[in-house]
Structure formats: C-alpha cells, structure tokens
Amino acid sequence: MGRRPSVYDLQSQKGLRKWVQLHVDTPAEAAAALAASIAILSCEPDRNLEPIRAAAPGAFLSAGMPHGAVSSPQEAIRLGFEILRRGADAVYCSHSPSFIEAMAREGIPVTGHVGLVPNRATWTNFRAIGKTADEAARVMRAVKDIENAGAAFVEVEVVPVRLADFITRNTPMITMGMGCGTACDTQYLFSSDVLGTNTGHYPRHAKKYADFAALEAELQDKRVTAFRAFAGEVETGAYPEAGHQLDMDDAAFERFLTLSNKL
C-alpha cells in the first residue's frame, strides 16, 4: 500500500482481500514482519510497544488491553487513548461490550474477541468453540453484541470453518481468524509459534516455520563457552594482554607522583 493501512483501508478491502496478521513480541520480529510484507500486527502494551511501533512504522498495529486492567468504561477510555498515544492503531479488548462501546463512541478502534477467548477460558476450557448449534448461536450473538458496540475488528479463534465463514459474511467488522481455516478476513498466528520460540503447547492450528528455540539454545551454549573462557583467562592471567591496555611513559608518571604529593 505504500503507507500504514487505516481502519478505513482495511474495511474497504473486506471481502476483496485476505490479510496476513502476526502477533509479535519484539521490535526485531516487527521489522521482519513488515519486511515480509505483513502489514497487520498485534502486540502487548508492555515496554516493547513503542519500539515495535518504531520498528514497523508502516504496519497497522493493535495492542492488547490487559484483561482486568480497567474496572469501568471510563477507565477503558482513558487506557484506550493511552495505548493509542503510545503508537497503537487499535485496542484489543476482551472486556464486556459496554467497555468496547465506551471506547468506540470516542473514536477508538477496538478489536473484540469471540470463540476461544483465553481470558475467559475458565467458562469453556481450551477447546474448539461452536461445534454445536446452540454454542454456535452463542458465538454469533457475541459477534453481534461486539458489532453493535461499535468494534471495528473481531478476533475469531478456534471455531468451525463454516461458522467462521458465516460470521465473516454477516458482519461489517474485519474478522481476524486464528484456527478458522481460510474463512476470515485475516490469517492470524503468533510469531512465537511461527518462529518456534514457544517452548510450551503448540495448538493444532499453529505451524512452526523455524526452530528458534534450538537456535537460542545453541547461542546460549556459545555464551556460556565464551564467558567461561573469559573467566578462565582472567584467573590464569592470560587476559588482559599488552594490547588490551595502555600505560603512561616514565616522565609523565614521575610528574604525576610529584603532583599527587600536593593533593
């Protein structure tokens, strides 16, 4: 596109284009994503938010509002604007629609969440959501509640493909699909799964394209080896060598001794 996509740009392309989306953890990942022409990113609103924004100035960036970080719609507005001020283009919110509506009324682009919502998983467990007709209807009801609240986007996570397709075709919101086949407006994965930095459970929809965990383990071994060699040379006197240090000439040192006696 040549510039950072706006909400208008993304909504104008709904039904015409599938977007690739990544959740990134570091500025290096953000820069790599943009270099790979991935223009929709998400991240946590931690200390990396500003560096991620700086590393990927051309990406549309959604930052998460930590679940439970606010206890009223008014607090949500305050924190939402703060997240935008720090560089995000949209605010992810898994709070109730009243929080989403408050932010949306103030012009804050909000991303809601349906299906498997990790922050609410105690009510569902970590599993596919919407496989029965009744549960699928509840998912669709949640979509409409989020839509009516004014959200611009909705993350659709681990729901049946046909349900995800129905949702995408029946809401003006951009659907961000994770574990929903190709049905949604974006194809969304976490960089930790793509890069293989995740050392925990890999969900069924994840695909590892690199093994950074093995690379990091190899790098850590090399760190230990280098640090051990440094410590060993200090202990034996092999380091520092003459070339690693400097000295004063005799005349300068004698002059210094004379001056130091007057201090």
Side-chain angles (χ1 to χ4, degrees):
M1 181 171 290
R3 59 174 173 81
R4 185 191 308 178
S6 65
V7 173
Y8 179 85
D9 293 329
L10 297 176
Q11 291 185 335
S12 297
Q13 291 291 307
K14 183 176 173 68
L16 302 175
R17 170 174 185 174
K18 297 288 184 180
W19 298 84
V20 181
Q21 180 175 0
L22 274 175
H23 183 97
V24 296
D25 296 315
T26 67
E29 290 179 357
L34 193 61
S37 299
I38 298 174
I40 302 181
L41 305 178
S42 66
C43 70
E44 300 301 322
D46 57 18
R47 62 183 175 82
N48 277 324
L49 174 53
E50 287 89 346
I52 284 172
R53 171 79 289 163
F60 186 92
L61 180 62
S62 178
M65 177 179 289
H67 196 73
V70 294
S71 59
S72 71
Q74 291 69 35
E75 289 181 354
I77 293 171
R78 175 192 57 75
L79 184 55
F81 276 125
E82 173 68 12
I83 291 171
L84 294 187
R85 184 193 66 77
R86 295 178 60 201
D89 299 297
V91 177
Y92 166 89
C93 179
S94 57
H95 293 74
S96 68
S98 62
F99 289 70
I100 294 174
E101 183 176 12
M103 288 189 284
R105 283 181 179 274
E106 298 300 325
I108 299 172
V110 183
T111 301
H113 197 163
V114 299
L116 174 58
V117 184
N119 290 322
R120 299 176 180 270
T122 190
W123 299 98
T124 61
N125 287 340
F126 286 88
R127 60 176 178 83
I129 306 296
K131 294 174 68 175
T132 69
D134 287 344
E135 194 169 67
R138 288 195 294 272
V139 172
M140 192 65 205
R141 177 71 269 165
V143 170
K144 286 300 177 183
D145 288 344
I146 291 170
E147 175 188 317
N148 292 334
F153 312 94
V154 60
E155 182 177 342
V156 183
E157 184 169 353
V158 194
V159 305
V161 172
R162 281 194 288 185
L163 175 57
D165 181 63
F166 184 89
I167 291 169
T168 300
R169 288 186 290 103
N170 287 278
T171 181
M173 296 184 292
I174 297 295
T175 58
M176 298 173 162
M178 184 177 291
C180 302
T182 61
C184 294
D185 295 310
T186 81
Q187 189 63 256
Y188 187 15
L189 280 181
F190 278 71
S191 62
S192 57
D193 292 338
V194 173
L195 296 177
T197 57
N198 177 9
T199 57
H201 170 70
Y202 279 79
R204 177 173 56 187
H205 57 266
K207 183 174 181 180
K208 185 189 297 187
Y209 290 83
D211 193 351
F212 272 49
L215 291 173
E216 180 58 36
E218 182 180 349
L219 284 174
Q220 185 68 358
D221 286 342
K222 291 182 181 297
R223 290 186 188 101
V224 172
T225 299
F227 292 164
R228 184 175 289 128
F230 165 58
E233 288 199 352
V234 170
E235 291 172 359
T236 63
Y239 177 86
E241 301 171 26
H244 299 127
Q245 57 196 18
L246 59 87
D247 206 346
M248 303 166 66
D249 61 42
D250 292 344
F253 188 66
E254 289 299 326
R255 175 63 176 159
F256 160 71
L257 290 177
T258 300
L259 293 174
S260 68
N261 291 329
K262 299 176 183 181
L263 297 178

